[in-house]
Amino acid sequence: MTHSGEYIRVRDLDVSYDGITPAVSALSMDVAEGEFAAVLGPSGCGKSTLLHAISGVVQPQSGTIEIAGLPVGAGRGDDSVPIGYVFQEHRLLPWRTVAQNIAIVLRAAGVADDDVDPRIDHYLEMLHISKFRNTWPLRLSGGQRQRVSIARALAIQPAVVLMDEPFSTLDEVTARVMRQQLADLWQRSNQTIVFVTHSIREALFLAGRIFILTQGPARLFDTIEVSVPRPRRYEDPRLTELEAQIVEHVMDEWGYGANSGEEPRE
Amino acid sequence: MTRSPETTQNLGARLRASWLDLALGALGAGLPVFLWWIGSHTTTFVPPIGEVIRAIPDFVTGEDIWPDVLVTIERVAGSLAIALILGFAAAYVMHRGGLWGRVVDRYVGLMLGVPSTIAALLALYVFKRSEVGVYFVVSIITFPFVALTLLQGLRSADRRLDEMGDVYRLSTPQRLRHVAVPHLVPYTFAAVRNEYAHAWKVVVLAELFAVNSGMGARFARAFDRFRIVDAMLWLIIFMIILLGTEYLLLLPSERRVLRWRGSGMEGNR
């Protein structure tokens, strides 16, 4: 897939939480409409901060972010595009049932009362969790909670879905099933997704394009097109080969090269 | 279906725990009765159990006891409600910090260090044995404990849920209704359950010393007139109301409101 257009447009972004220590520095990137883009970087490099800035929760020190031509910023107005967010942890309200958790964000997004229940049913069905409609989140497994979190993000029918390492806290088998379901879901919906991860294999399996960041403060190090056709297999040898190339490519930049002073790990 | 050894072990452990609970409960209820029985046989001021039991029908039907019981319940509920409002306000100010936060923090710390009896007597002296004095005393003594419990709730609020609210543009009323208030509910229950018994003690103490109505006043009157059986019956009513409210009202309400807690998948099967 060739990526053109600037549906999400980030220019010269500088973000700092305390105003002194930069978390993101002079970062520019474009994501096309309907693209599945991954943002790859070492732990703690500022990937999540980038997503926070794109979502408008964090105000950048300088630079601009636009989604569908509209500027993004803290205290977004009603005219800005709706954004779905899947966090690293599910962030569901434990005192509300699965359906109530989704209903709350639907009502906040201004969905008409008559449409709330049908939409909840539709997205729970899509993620194969209909039977948990009236269940409390604490009674669900980690994978089920994360499915609810994804259903919540998709139910508001957002222009963009931001995903912040959503499978990193799950066991490997559950994570693989979830990745496969997400890939299938994206192929059916063609939703614009920005997926943050520190797993090269995960990025290669899911994304059409990978934005590789530097160690913190995050800057854009390189962009890689993943041309392996879909549907992909997680064990595909072409992904293995690409993974090895990327490891080789980022080794110095992420602080594990010959001149970095880091001891290789056993 | 065969049970795994682990399941059988868990079942055995749960049964043993249930028996232990039952035995401890029986011991807890039986020991005071046993001490009462010994007391009634060795002293003159403790009435025999049988005599007290025989006096119950006349006491609960013949005498005009219920208005006094209701007055005391009203005082406890009213002052506890005031303590909750004051406690929440104090917790909020302490949580926000700043000069006022520090001032309230010092005051709450000071009040926690003052014995309840001393504070009650001083306050009743200042308020000249008025009805307002009773409410004031109970509220002022219990609210620092409420404030501390609610402060813990405010401090443990999950910042990540606020971020979720930011991302999904929850309005302030929605945040209050779905995020802030439900988070504080367990702490409010803890505060009410802790301070409920405390409030009862202080109200009855205030009634003993300062006013002519309520269970404390009736208990004092019975004691002054050497009507020891009546005094004992007032004590029993006091305990029944206290324990009844705890086990029949507060605990079931808490379980119902906090039913979302718990783990495991049993709810889905």
Side-chain angles (χ1 to χ4, degrees):
Chain A
M1 180 179 170
T2 308
H3 303 285
S4 59
E6 299 171 350
Y7 194 62
I8 302 175
R9 187 172 185 272
V10 180
R11 285 290 174 277
D12 303 319
L13 190 71
D14 287 308
V15 185
S16 163
Y17 285 107
D18 57 8
I20 302 164
T21 320
V24 175
S25 175
L27 193 145
S28 297
M29 61 186 269
D30 294 323
V31 177
E33 187 171 10
E35 181 180 359
F36 196 131
V39 176
L40 181 70
S43 296
C45 77
K47 306 184 291 289
S48 299
T49 306
L50 172 62
L51 277 204
H52 276 100
I54 294 175
S55 73
V57 172
V58 169
Q59 181 81 48
Q61 263 61 48
S62 62
T64 57
I65 304 169
E66 288 173 6
I67 298 178
L70 295 167
V72 168
R76 289 171 292 154
D78 289 338
D79 57 339
S80 63
V81 289
I83 291 173
Y85 206 123
V86 183
F87 298 91
Q88 194 169 352
E89 333 80 25
H90 54 84
R91 299 200 191 183
L92 299 171
L93 300 168
W95 39 78
R96 297 285 184 259
T97 63
V98 164
Q100 288 168 341
N101 264 283
I102 300 172
I104 289 164
V105 299
L106 287 176
R107 294 210 167 88
V111 174
D113 281 350
D114 289 347
D115 295 338
V116 168
D117 276 337
R119 223 192 263 195
I120 292 170
D121 289 336
H122 174 73
Y123 284 96
L124 292 181
E125 182 73 33
M126 185 187 274
L127 283 135
H128 312 293
I129 45 174
S130 294
K131 64 179 175 177
F132 302 122
R133 196 181 197 285
N134 298 314
T135 305
W136 309 108
L138 290 181
R139 297 198 177 171
L140 299 175
S141 67
Q144 288 160 349
R145 285 178 205 165
Q146 210 50 301
R147 279 195 186 96
V148 177
S149 180
I150 294 171
R152 176 176 66 182
L154 296 178
I156 60 168
Q157 297 178 343
V160 173
V161 180
L162 306 175
M163 301 181 117
D164 188 0
E165 303 188 47
F167 310 136
S168 63
T169 58
L170 304 178
D171 63 86
E172 183 52 28
V173 174
T174 309
R176 282 196 186 198
V177 172
M178 297 284 292
R179 284 180 201 123
Q180 187 63 60
Q181 285 184 350
L182 179 63
D184 296 343
L185 207 64
W186 176 77
Q187 281 200 281
R188 276 184 276 143
S189 67
N190 255 6
Q191 186 95 49
T192 309
I193 295 178
V194 179
F195 189 100
V196 157
T197 180
H198 59 248
S199 160
I200 299 171
R201 175 60 68 115
E202 186 172 61
L204 285 166
F205 176 71
L206 289 169
R209 194 154 50 134
I210 302 173
F211 296 95
I212 302 177
L213 305 186
T214 60
Q215 285 191 101
R219 285 174 287 105
L220 187 63
F221 172 59
D222 202 356
T223 306
I224 289 175
E225 297 270 347
V226 185
S227 52
V228 177
R230 295 175 191 270
R232 296 171 185 162
R233 280 188 317 111
Y234 205 71
E235 301 80 10
D236 191 318
R238 287 170 293 185
L239 296 185
T240 309
E241 193 180 323
L242 278 169
E243 187 178 15
Q245 286 171 13
I246 292 175
V247 170
E248 187 68 29
H249 186 49
V250 300
M251 194 69 99
D252 272 336
E253 185 55 44
W254 288 10
Y256 295 106
N259 301 321
S260 68
E262 287 274 341
E263 291 292 325
R265 290 178 187 163
E266 290 294 319
Chain B
M1 184 179 147
T2 48
R3 285 185 194 281
S4 68
E6 195 185 348
T7 311
T8 314
Q9 273 177 4
N10 287 344
L11 189 67
R14 277 210 301 273
L15 273 175
R16 275 196 300 280
S18 301
W19 277 109
L20 189 65
D21 279 350
L22 202 65
L24 285 173
L27 188 69
L31 192 64
V33 177
F34 179 63
L35 291 174
W36 180 3
W37 182 79
I38 291 178
S40 67
H41 281 79
T42 52
T43 65
T44 53
F45 59 88
V46 179
I49 297 174
E51 195 179 326
V52 173
I53 290 172
R54 279 193 298 279
I56 289 175
D58 282 347
F59 186 76
V60 296
T61 56
E63 273 204 68
D64 189 20
I65 63 165
W66 299 112
D68 285 292
V69 171
L70 285 177
V71 161
T72 303
I73 291 175
E74 202 176 288
R75 285 173 182 152
V76 170
S79 38
L80 206 52
I82 296 170
L84 270 177
I85 294 167
L86 286 177
F88 182 79
Y92 181 72
V93 173
M94 286 193 286
H95 182 60
R96 287 196 62 175
L99 178 66
W100 281 108
R102 286 204 298 276
V103 169
V104 174
D105 189 59
R106 292 286 153 83
Y107 176 74
V108 165
L110 186 75
M111 283 305 292
L112 288 171
V114 176
S116 302
T117 322
I118 305 292
L121 290 175
L122 270 176
L124 288 170
Y125 177 74
V126 171
F127 281 87
K128 311 290 185 204
R129 302 181 158 216
S130 64
E131 185 73 15
V132 175
V134 176
Y135 280 90
F136 178 81
V137 164
V138 183
S139 310
I140 215 74
I141 288 172
T142 51
F143 103 84
F145 296 93
V146 173
L148 273 194
T149 311
L150 291 177
L151 180 63
Q152 279 179 359
L154 288 172
R155 282 184 178 157
S156 67
D158 193 344
R159 179 76 196 99
R160 295 170 305 175
L161 291 182
D162 286 338
E163 275 181 6
M164 185 278 293
D166 289 342
V167 167
Y168 288 110
R169 305 181 204 180
L170 266 55
S171 62
T172 306
Q174 283 173 323
R175 280 166 197 255
L176 277 174
R177 186 178 160 204
H178 298 299
V179 184
V181 172
H183 170 75
L184 284 177
V185 164
Y187 295 91
T188 310
F189 262 106
V192 169
R193 284 184 59 204
N194 286 341
E195 289 316 298
Y196 176 69
H198 196 184
W200 264 95
K201 285 176 217 158
V202 181
V203 164
V204 170
L205 187 75
E207 288 174 347
L208 273 170
F209 289 113
V211 285
N212 295 321
S213 60
M215 292 172 66
R218 294 296 295 269
F219 173 81
R221 212 178 303 158
F223 202 79
D224 288 347
R225 293 173 187 173
F226 296 105
R227 296 171 68 174
I228 303 301
V229 172
D230 281 4
M232 192 58 105
L233 284 167
W234 279 112
L235 274 182
I236 291 171
I237 288 185
F238 174 78
M239 283 191 290
I240 287 174
I241 294 176
L242 209 63
L243 294 174
T245 312
E246 169 75 12
Y247 289 102
L248 299 177
L249 183 69
L250 292 178
L251 263 179
S253 312
E254 187 178 22
R255 277 200 201 108
R256 175 157 174 71
V257 173
L258 304 182
R259 64 193 185 282
W260 52 269
R261 281 180 166 177
S263 56
M265 298 288 292
E266 70 279 0
N268 307 320
R269 287 178 184 156

